[in-house]
Amino acid sequence: QVQLVESGGGLVQAGDSLRLSCTASGRTFSGYPMGWFRQAPGKEREFVARISRSGIVIYYTDSVKGRFTISRDNAKNTVYLQMNSLKPEDTAVYYCAAGRGLYGGTETRDYDYWGQGTQVTVSS
């Protein structure tokens, strides 16, 4: 079992930046691809970004390409989501998740373990 805890959310203005962190405990962190998802009120949880076990292969949803960067530090058992040029439509609860295989996927069902979420609110 893997336990995941997110941090770094907050209330910011459009154009600002935030860095989310997700720290894992339990099983070996480096053995899992990791993903970030987000969920706005009344919306389904949606994929944001994923990173492979090695940290080399990454993938983003189109709406965040060029603005968000996913990274991981296996020595610290932590995955990050650097969010720049934030927009009001980025407002959501952000979740990190641990998946399977080398690369992970883009669906919630591709991930077995989830954090509690951290709120990101972007005002205009």
Side-chain angles (χ1 to χ4, degrees):
Q1 188 174 359
V2 176
Q3 295 81 45
L4 305 172
V5 179
E6 302 97 333
S7 62
L11 194 158
V12 298
Q13 293 181 268
D16 285 352
S17 297
L18 282 173
R19 188 178 73 161
L20 306 183
S21 299
C22 173
T23 299
S25 62
R27 296 185 182 274
T28 303
F29 175 74
S30 62
Y32 297 90
M34 299 293 294
W36 284 98
F37 290 74
R38 64 188 181 187
Q39 187 167 22
K43 303 290 186 179
E44 294 185 352
R45 191 169 299 184
E46 67 172 352
F47 169 79
V48 176
R50 72 185 189 205
I51 187 166
S52 65
R53 291 159 58 178
S54 67
I56 295 173
V57 181
I58 61 174
Y59 183 75
Y60 302 96
T61 192
D62 286 345
S63 64
V64 308
K65 287 181 179 177
R67 300 189 299 121
F68 290 10
T69 302
I70 188 171
S71 62
R72 67 191 297 163
D73 186 340
N74 287 345
K76 296 182 177 180
N77 292 340
T78 300
V79 62
Y80 304 95
L81 186 68
Q82 178 68 46
M83 305 185 295
N84 298 327
S85 301
L86 282 163
K87 304 175 180 179
E89 53 262 44
D90 295 318
T91 295
V93 177
Y94 283 71
Y95 299 88
C96 69
R100 298 178 295 276
L102 295 177
Y103 307 115
T106 60
E107 304 291 338
T108 58
R109 62 178 175 270
D110 298 322
Y111 295 83
D112 294 322
Y113 304 101
W114 295 83
Q116 84 291 342
T118 186
Q119 177 71 48
V120 173
T121 302
V122 185
S123 65
S124 59

